Amino acid sequence: MKKGMMRLIRFGTIGTNWITERFLHAAQENDDFVLAAVYSRTEEKGQEFAAQFGEPKVYTDLDAMASSDEIDAVYIASPNSFHAEQAIQCMNHGKHVLCEKPLASNSDEVRKMIAAAEANHVVLMEAMKSTLMPNFRIMKENLYKIGQVRRYFAGYCQYSSRYDAFKQGTVLNAFNPDYSNGGLMDLGIYCIYPMVSLFGKPESVKAVGMMLSSGVDGEGSLVMRYPDMDAVIMYSKISDSFLPAEIQGENGTMVIDRINQPYDVKIQYRDGTVENLTQQQIHESMYYELEEFIRMIGRGKRSSKINSHETSLAVAEVMEDARRQIGLKYASDTW
């Protein structure tokens, strides 16, 4: 966005964790962003967090921050189970909301969030960074080169730094169903969201998963069907994988280094030639989601065409379908 096209967007944040820190470091590269407020449940933690970023105003009352006329938008990075309630509260006070993935615990909550955005004429966008990164755009623009697509394959398997504690009997948030967590919601979504963004919602979903004693899934796999192709994803918080993602076509295969954060993209054609499509990335990965969000505010839009309401809802429905099959139910689920 060119400087001077719009006023600064004053942000409040919900969540004093590493992902909020990473977001705010990326946001420093955007001239249209200013951090005006931080919400924390405790004053001490809020002040400690705020001190890293120019000492914005600290709130311990979320409604007070949401109703403040000193902020225009809110970035939400609280536990998944709080997303819907907090987002709706902010939107009902006229604040635009950029909410970390997954947007909500289930599709019912997503529908309520979308309805709140429409009713209050504000932007609501899921903060899925990968689909707004430069090399994802390169993927979309060059997909035609591989001919008829027959398979999408993606995996995100990363041994959680909190799993050792879990095995010793300490259940941290990452493995606690009270916060709508688990492998599918935390990592599997990184495979599902790009798939839906590229190909739409699948016709059917078949899921298997390994449930842990706390009541969340440690790992799992999904096979999904489209009219002329299938999609296979695997995810895990209890093991690692080093496989790249692939989109297989009849003329060639697009190979992506990491579906959750694409930095390297190439096409391996059937005749043996390789075309390197990689575009050098200038900014931090989370910069691009913020740029898109601010652009939507400036244009008076309600939804991004890329990280759209429709895509977020379809992704929530796919994950909900998968959770039913593996027996992963959260407190806010109505089924």
Side-chain angles (χ1 to χ4, degrees), residues 18-19 75-80 83 98-104 125-129 156 181-190 193 237 289 307 312 315 319:
W18 66 270
I19 195 167
Y75 168 73
I76 298 177
S78 54
N80 301 335
H83 287 181
L98 177 62
C99 184
E100 266 304 328
K101 59 80 203 164
L103 194 59
M125 193 180 91
E126 190 165 7
M128 175 57 70
K129 65 183 178 183
Y156 191 4
N181 281 332
L184 179 65
M185 298 288 271
D186 291 347
L187 299 185
I189 188 173
Y190 280 106
Y193 203 102
K237 292 172 72 80
E289 66 190 52
N307 286 12
S312 291
V315 170
M319 293 197 297

Side-chain angles (χ1 to χ4, degrees), residues 135 138-139 143 146 153 242-249 252-259 262-269 273-278:
N135 282 297
I138 292 298
M139 288 165 56
L143 197 58
I146 66 173
F153 167 76
F242 305 96
L243 295 175
E246 291 187 344
I247 304 176
Q248 301 169 9
T253 297
M254 184 175 287
V255 182
I256 306 102
D257 60 339
R258 298 169 63 189
I259 197 64
Y263 288 122
D264 184 84
V265 182
K266 59 179 177 288
I267 295 177
Q268 296 187 207
Y269 292 99
T273 60
V274 177
E275 181 181 5
N276 186 0
L277 302 172
T278 303

Side-chain angles (χ1 to χ4, degrees), residues 28-279:
Q28 290 173 358
E29 300 179 21
N30 192 304
D31 291 336
D32 297 307
F33 174 95
V34 62
L35 179 62
V38 167
Y39 167 77
S40 175
R41 287 174 293 177
T42 65
E43 181 75 22
E44 182 181 2
K45 189 170 185 180
Q47 293 291 351
E48 181 182 350
F49 184 84
Q52 303 175 66
F53 300 100
E55 300 187 359
K57 186 171 182 178
V58 173
Y59 289 89
T60 55
D61 183 329
L62 182 56
D63 198 64
M65 187 178 83
S67 60
S68 171
D69 59 5
E70 296 178 354
I71 64 171
D72 309 299
V74 177
Y75 168 73
I76 298 177
S78 54
N80 301 335
S81 57
F82 298 140
H83 287 181
E85 180 181 357
Q86 292 175 339
I88 291 170
Q89 185 174 359
C90 291
M91 289 188 287
N92 284 343
H93 283 292
K95 302 302 186 284
H96 305 286
V97 170
L98 177 62
C99 184
E100 266 304 328
K101 59 80 203 164
L103 194 59
S105 298
N106 52 53
S107 61
D108 284 343
E109 289 187 345
V110 171
R111 291 185 187 93
K112 291 175 182 176
M113 293 167 76
I114 293 171
E118 295 294 338
N120 292 288
H121 308 289
V122 294
V123 178
L124 169 68
M125 193 180 91
E126 190 165 7
M128 175 57 70
K129 65 183 178 183
S130 58
T131 47
L132 291 162
M133 289 171 62
N135 282 297
F136 188 79
R137 176 177 56 81
I138 292 298
M139 288 165 56
K140 290 198 294 185
E141 291 176 353
N142 290 273
L143 197 58
Y144 73 94
K145 294 179 179 178
I146 66 173
Q148 174 66 58
V149 175
R150 293 305 187 188
R151 175 172 293 119
Y152 168 94
F153 167 76
Y156 191 4
C157 303
Q158 181 174 293
Y159 189 95
S160 172
S161 60
R162 296 165 177 82
Y163 188 50
D164 287 338
F166 179 87
K167 290 190 289 184
Q168 296 300 316
T170 301
V171 181
L172 301 174
N173 289 3
F175 294 101
N176 189 338
D178 290 343
Y179 297 112
S180 301
N181 281 332
L184 179 65
M185 298 288 271
D186 291 347
L187 299 185
I189 188 173
Y190 280 106
C191 304
I192 297 169
Y193 203 102
M195 177 196 76
V196 173
S197 181
L198 290 171
F199 306 110
K201 185 181 176 182
E203 294 180 334
S204 65
V205 178
K206 300 294 183 184
V208 295
M210 176 66 66
M211 297 297 291
L212 301 178
S213 59
S214 64
V216 302
D217 56 330
E219 61 87 33
S221 302
L222 280 70
V223 178
M224 290 154 286
R225 181 167 181 79
Y226 288 87
D228 298 308
M229 59 173 280
D230 65 25
V232 180
I233 75 159
M234 62 181 189
Y235 64 88
S236 178
K237 292 172 72 80
I238 59 176
S239 62
D240 292 313
S241 174
F242 305 96
L243 295 175
E246 291 187 344
I247 304 176
Q248 301 169 9
E250 293 186 354
N251 296 336
T253 297
M254 184 175 287
V255 182
I256 306 102
D257 60 339
R258 298 169 63 189
I259 197 64
N260 61 300
Q261 197 164 224
Y263 288 122
D264 184 84
V265 182
K266 59 179 177 288
I267 295 177
Q268 296 187 207
Y269 292 99
R270 289 181 56 246
D271 64 4
T273 60
V274 177
E275 181 181 5
N276 186 0
L277 302 172
T278 303
Q279 179 174 318

